[in-house]
Amino acid sequence: MGIDTERDIEANLQIGPTDQGMVRLFIEAGTTEIPMDFDPEEAEDIAEEIKAAARAARAVKKKG
């Protein structure tokens, strides 16, 4: 399975700063909780990757 494989799973995503100066992505799906902490620079890199993916997704949507 890859990133293009659709799944019928619901998840909740929360994003915010921690009291240790990190950025936390907190993912909750059913009984599973995944906290992922990143330093601010890593978080900015991730944000850029998300923006690039959004631009690419828009390009695909316009073609279809």
Side-chain angles (χ1 to χ4, degrees), residues 9-12 27-33:
I9 299 172
E10 291 184 29
N12 181 39
I27 303 163
E28 180 181 23
T31 59
T32 303
E33 296 180 346

Side-chain angles (χ1 to χ4, degrees), residues 37-48:
D37 293 347
F38 302 92
D39 65 43
E41 292 76 18
E42 288 175 307
E44 288 173 344
D45 289 344
I46 292 166
E48 288 302 320

Side-chain angles (χ1 to χ4, degrees), residues 8-37:
D8 192 24
I9 299 172
E10 291 184 29
N12 181 39
L13 171 65
Q14 297 176 27
I15 304 169
T18 70
D19 60 356
Q20 300 294 310
M22 302 291 279
V23 175
R24 176 166 289 170
L25 301 182
F26 186 82
I27 303 163
E28 180 181 23
T31 59
T32 303
E33 296 180 346
I34 304 170
M36 300 169 62
D37 293 347

